[in-house]
Amino acid sequence: MQLLQDRIRAEGRVLPGNIIKVDGFLNHRVDTALMREMAKEFAKHFNTEGVTAVLTVEASGIALATITAEELGVPLLFAKKAKSDNIEGGLYRSEIYSYTYKKAVTLIMAKDWLGPEDKVLIVDDFLANGEALRGLVEIVEQSGAELIGMGVAVEKGFQPGGAKLREQGVDLYSLAIIEKADENGFVFRYGV
Amino acid sequence: MQLLQDRIRAEGRVLPGNIIKVDGFLNHRVDTALMREMAKEFAKHFNTEGVTAVLTVEASGIALATITAEELGVPLLFAKKAKSDNIEGGLYRSEIYSYTYKKAVTLIMAKDWLGPEDKVLIVDDFLANGEALRGLVEIVEQSGAELIGMGVAVEKGFQPGGAKLREQGVDLYSLAIIEKADENGFVFRYGV
């Protein structure tokens, strides 16, 4: 998506350790108008007929997923990282490794809100190692719902998450795939 | 707000320990159309002229705050709970006590995104002890920005957060204030 790639070129920064900072418009300060454009792009790309929910994981994916859910006229579901005592039994669970927190994390989702009758679009802001998204796919599988696809804003194409999800058969659509990021700037897959 | 109170009456549940569950429409599965109505109510209630940002804290407030920010045509900012190494220096910080996690938590916000030139509306989904919202007010104070008000979806009126914030002079507008919640249902302040 040209709009997003231009924005990454204009405002993205690269920190040591291949950390890509796009927190001025994507995941700390969030440009809501840009989120709407990305949501429209997902709505156009995927066959969203009959979709019953958009699914993401807390925290930074919630903004984009909320706007996408509203765009599709369906509820937003977000899996939580287990630590609260506010969630009783009846949960789908998936164990993932969080590279951000450097430890195993359990994603949880109340069974009440997802079942075999559902058709789900997964949305997230960022895809690198793909652990969080793998966890969401597992939760969808546990629920018996149909996964129609996965929309991601920024994929780090030089990390393995995207390839693994595509091999697994997930219809993954990333609006910007960064192949390389260094002091010379950003190189995107497909050359755009 | 009648719409929200009706929804709490219809779908809210009360768990032992005064835990109020509204996670079917507010903070696990999120009714995005309801979020939009609440955002419009905030836009009507507050004098939002010149507002430059909506501020919330991860995670569950992000959905409502995102829609409110889009409604006002401004960016969404969200304070993070410190644990990631993805955020370098230049931070506002506020120490709060998390009743959910039962421990002290540091809220952080990059100085890049908030300064004396800003006019901020704080938005969150839930107000009970008010620690997270007190932390956000502190961050706004540190930044020198102007706080124009605070919009909350559900306030637990029988817990001290709301009273403390109002005493502090915050223009706090809660769309539903629950005075009592038990096996007989919900009682709202102002009798609506």
Side-chain angles (χ1 to χ4, degrees), chain A:
Chain A
M1 190 189 187
Q2 195 64 49
L3 186 68
L4 178 60
Q5 298 185 1
D6 291 347
R7 195 67 179 271
I8 294 168
R9 282 218 167 84
E11 296 180 31
R13 285 176 303 138
V14 185
L15 302 185
N18 265 324
I19 291 171
I20 292 169
K21 297 277 284 183
V22 286
D23 63 350
F25 56 94
L26 190 65
N27 49 21
H28 192 21
R29 181 171 66 171
V30 177
D31 180 337
T32 52
L34 177 64
M35 298 299 115
R36 180 63 61 181
E37 291 308 312
M38 295 198 279
K40 285 183 177 163
E41 181 64 23
F42 291 143
K44 209 165 64 181
H45 176 83
F46 292 105
N47 177 4
T48 58
E49 206 188 303
V51 164
T52 59
V54 169
L55 174 66
T56 193
V57 55
E58 64 178 17
S60 65
I62 295 176
L64 176 58
T66 297
I67 302 271
T68 305
E70 193 192 30
E71 186 70 28
L72 300 180
V74 300
L76 162 76
L77 303 176
F78 61 92
K80 304 187 180 196
K81 291 162 183 160
K83 22 191 178 180
S84 146
D85 58 358
N86 281 15
I87 300 191
E88 71 266 60
L91 299 170
Y92 305 117
R93 288 160 196 270
S94 174
E95 302 292 325
I96 64 165
Y97 181 78
S98 167
Y99 289 84
T100 308
Y101 304 149
K102 296 187 177 46
K103 61 172 186 183
V105 168
T106 305
L107 301 188
I108 53 177
M109 173 84 224
K111 290 186 179 176
D112 288 346
W113 315 129
L114 198 63
E117 67 288 359
D118 285 302
K119 281 180 77 168
V120 178
L121 176 66
I122 291 175
V123 167
D124 210 354
D125 60 332
F126 227 86
L127 165 55
N129 289 292
E131 277 290 284
L133 288 166
R134 180 184 65 71
L136 291 182
V137 171
E138 212 172 282
I139 282 172
V140 172
E141 283 169 358
Q142 287 172 27
S143 76
E146 181 187 342
L147 179 62
I148 70 134
M150 183 184 287
V152 164
V154 180
E155 177 181 339
K156 292 163 88 171
F158 53 88
Q159 287 189 252
K164 279 191 281 184
L165 288 161
R166 289 184 181 95
E167 273 162 30
Q168 217 185 311
V170 174
D171 180 8
L172 167 62
Y173 179 45
S174 299
L175 300 178
I177 304 178
I178 299 172
E179 289 294 12
K180 204 175 141 187
D182 56 25
E183 64 282 9
N184 300 314
F186 294 89
V187 177
F188 294 100
R189 193 175 295 177
Y190 312 123
V192 286

